[in-house]
Amino acid sequence: MLVVDEAGMVPTRQMARMVAECERSAAKLVLVGDDGQLPEIDAGGAFRGLAERLGACELTESRRLVDTAEFALQRELRAGRPQGWLDFADQGGRLVLERGHDATYARLVSDWAQGREQLAAAARVDGRQAEAVMLAPTREAAAELNARAQAYARHTGRLGAQALELGGVRYSEGDRVLCLENRERDIGVLNGHRGTVTALEPDSFSLRVEIDGQGERVLPASYIEDGHLALGYAMTVHKSQGMSADRTYVLGSEDHYRELGYTALSRHRQECRFYVNAGEPAAAQLELGLEISGQDRTEVRERLARTLGRERAQQMALDVHENDQVLRELPDAELAQRAGRLEELLASFPAEVRQADHEAAELHRQTDRIQACEQRLAACEAERAELGALQRKRRTELDGRIARDQQVLANNRAAHGELAASVGAGQVAGEKWLERHGVELAQATVIEQELATRRARALEEAITRAAYEPSQDLLERIGKRPASLLESERWDRAAGALAGYRQRYEQLPSPEAPADRAERRAWEHATETAASLATDAPAPLDLPYLGPELDFE
């Protein structure tokens, strides 16, 4: 028997190999997982497809959560309806909104440190090991949280005085670490194991680590230098799938989506706090305070609801093919009735979304300017704090520079806020449009593709008939097919254009141009191509007209 845990993350090709091997060796394959959690990175959808076709046993109770009432809200979160959970978190003080990148990270680390202290105090009373962990959507965010948490631990005296630098990271006694590579046979650790550094071994450049629930292990320099060890105060949501912690502190961002959000917000036993950057503060907010309430808070929650409602679960190609095949098998008349919807949908795509795409790059540049200005300001303030009482001239210079930098920073933050609001509004408009029209857009695309295929096939047949069995009205229009190769090619193009027009509009082009814009383009193409035979002008090089020109940008 082969049991595969977290089977929802197994790519389809790898799943197919496992099935083939089990079939070859007459083994039983048992798949365990949740298709509502993190999806596959490679082509996927096999686990969900198999469960839908074969049926599956399902766990319907949560043994992890202390607050059983939250379980129903998590099921709604899993289904892409996060509003209930967000209301619950906001009312309970678990949805934390901050202004700016630095404030959001600082608040998260501070709250995590306090929560860790509370859990440690409770553990000393009841003797139960408890844990608080920070979760981030990306490796970059997790690395920054780890660096801030380590600095906090060192500042509060939780780490040993000595440090050993390995793999570009300075480790001290007391540091939390995370193993990233399976080395069970020689070292006794697995990918995902977390522990606490108990001692440094400078002579051998190794670390002694107390692995949670596993005992002490010695991690050699080769393991660490190869990048298989990292600080473990924070981890990515992908690393956390399958784990449980008493308290979790989750960093929110635009990188969240339904499956990632549900996984991150369901790892806790007692409490989960969700931290969101509500945007850089404007100049007025710097003076009035950074509290986010009222309409601003409502708008942030609405944005979060849309973010956590976006689905990224994959479908097997077989599922997509079956859905599309139903549309492709529609009769010609019904297919023609549905034609043109794609062009209508694309025409209704909000213009502010395209504008937001252009503004997003400027927003990143504005963020870099703010960070650079903050660094300059911090350097000036640090230098001024170290000046002696007699260095009045330098102090005056720095005071002027600090005042200017503060004004520049306030202006940059205000500009960033306006730009972020515009980009956010564009993204919201795009998300709302896709929520309303996403399925219809996919169906309309399949219909237009199938219609174009059928028209191309019919046009090819019509052109062939026009060349070798021309109708009387076609002969009256452009004459008989010439014998010479060059003239016959020009005649074939003209016959094809006229046959294509008749195929679409059931008649040859009339002397007067039609009023309909799409039909006018087809009429112009057909008449110009036919007229080139009589005037000896070069025929248009365009391909035969197959339908309306669509702008997919």
Side-chain angles (χ1 to χ4, degrees), residues 18 159 313 382 416 497 516:
M18 288 193 295
L159 303 183
H416 184 282
D516 180 73

Side-chain angles (χ1 to χ4, degrees), residues 45-283:
F47 179 69
R48 173 180 289 186
L50 290 173
E52 290 176 350
R53 286 168 172 78
L54 305 178
C57 299
E58 183 179 358
L59 296 176
T60 57
E61 297 181 25
S62 173
R63 302 289 182 176
R64 174 187 289 137
L65 281 170
V66 174
D67 184 0
T68 55
E70 189 180 351
F71 181 59
L73 298 175
Q74 286 191 354
R75 291 184 69 88
E76 290 292 297
L77 188 66
R78 180 182 183 273
R81 297 184 291 270
Q83 192 60 57
W85 188 91
L86 290 171
D87 292 342
F88 164 81
D90 202 10
Q91 293 167 7
R94 301 181 182 184
L95 178 60
V96 183
L97 308 184
E98 290 289 343
R99 290 286 188 189
H101 173 94
D102 187 69
T104 305
Y105 277 70
R107 175 70 181 276
L108 194 160
V109 172
S110 175
D111 288 356
W112 163 82
Q114 293 180 21
R116 189 184 183 195
E117 290 285 348
Q118 294 170 358
L119 290 175
R124 287 193 290 269
V125 174
D126 57 24
R128 188 180 69 85
Q129 185 67 32
E131 184 177 21
V133 63
M134 295 181 286
L135 302 179
T138 64
R139 285 178 292 183
E140 294 77 12
E144 182 172 349
L145 288 173
N146 272 318
R148 288 173 177 260
Q150 186 187 49
Y152 183 92
R154 180 170 287 113
H155 177 73
T156 55
R158 285 185 160 272
L159 303 183
Q162 303 300 319
L164 185 62
E165 185 169 344
L166 294 167
V169 180
R170 290 174 61 83
Y171 296 98
S172 298
E173 183 179 333
D175 264 326
R176 291 288 289 170
V177 293
L178 172 68
C179 297
L180 305 175
E181 178 77 5
N182 291 331
R183 293 285 291 275
E184 187 174 17
R185 293 184 179 181
D186 53 344
I187 301 177
V189 297
L190 294 174
N191 182 10
H193 272 171
R194 300 174 72 222
T196 303
V197 177
T198 56
L200 309 179
E201 301 287 352
D203 295 338
S204 60
F205 290 94
S206 59
L207 301 176
R208 289 190 175 275
V209 178
E210 182 72 24
I211 301 296
D212 297 346
Q214 303 293 323
E216 191 175 70
R217 302 286 190 271
V218 177
L219 304 185
S222 58
Y223 184 84
I224 303 171
E225 291 286 358
D226 287 344
H228 301 325
L229 188 71
L231 292 174
Y233 301 101
M235 65 175 65
T236 63
V237 177
H238 280 77
K239 280 292 181 187
S240 75
Q241 179 157 309
M243 73 168 288
S244 295
D246 292 87
R247 296 184 183 182
T248 57
Y249 300 82
V250 181
L251 177 67
S253 79
E254 295 177 356
D255 296 298
H256 274 283
Y257 49 92
R258 180 198 296 188
E259 294 81 9
L260 184 75
Y262 169 65
T263 303
L265 302 174
S266 61
R267 300 301 93 203
H268 60 285
R269 298 186 185 93
Q270 298 178 10
E271 183 183 65
C272 170
R273 288 177 175 265
F274 195 33
Y275 295 79
V276 178
N277 178 0
E280 293 291 337

Side-chain angles (χ1 to χ4, degrees), residues 369-430:
R369 295 188 194 105
I370 290 174
Q371 292 177 350
C373 191
E374 288 175 340
Q375 292 172 358
R376 290 196 306 271
L377 184 58
C380 289
E381 290 175 341
E383 182 182 352
R384 189 187 186 286
E386 295 177 357
L387 291 177
L390 300 178
Q391 295 176 291
R392 297 190 185 90
K393 182 177 179 181
R394 181 56 178 166
R395 185 183 295 107
T396 302
E397 292 176 356
L398 289 175
D399 286 342
R401 184 178 300 176
I402 289 172
R404 289 192 298 272
D405 285 346
Q406 287 175 338
Q407 183 61 48
V408 170
L409 181 59
N411 294 338
N412 284 338
R413 281 175 169 168
H416 184 282
E418 294 175 0
L419 200 59
S422 178
V423 172
Q427 292 172 341
V428 167

Side-chain angles (χ1 to χ4, degrees), residues 1-23 27-35 40 44-59 241 316:
M1 179 183 291
L2 174 62
V3 181
V4 181
D5 196 14
E6 303 296 352
M9 298 185 72
V10 179
T12 299
R13 295 182 183 89
Q14 188 174 346
M15 182 78 76
R17 290 198 298 270
M18 288 193 295
V19 171
E21 286 298 317
C22 288
E23 185 177 15
K28 181 177 182 179
L29 177 63
V30 179
L31 304 177
V32 183
D34 183 358
D35 61 14
E40 312 87 338
F47 179 69
R48 173 180 289 186
L50 290 173
E52 290 176 350
R53 286 168 172 78
L54 305 178
C57 299
E58 183 179 358
L59 296 176
Q241 179 157 309
M316 287 195 300

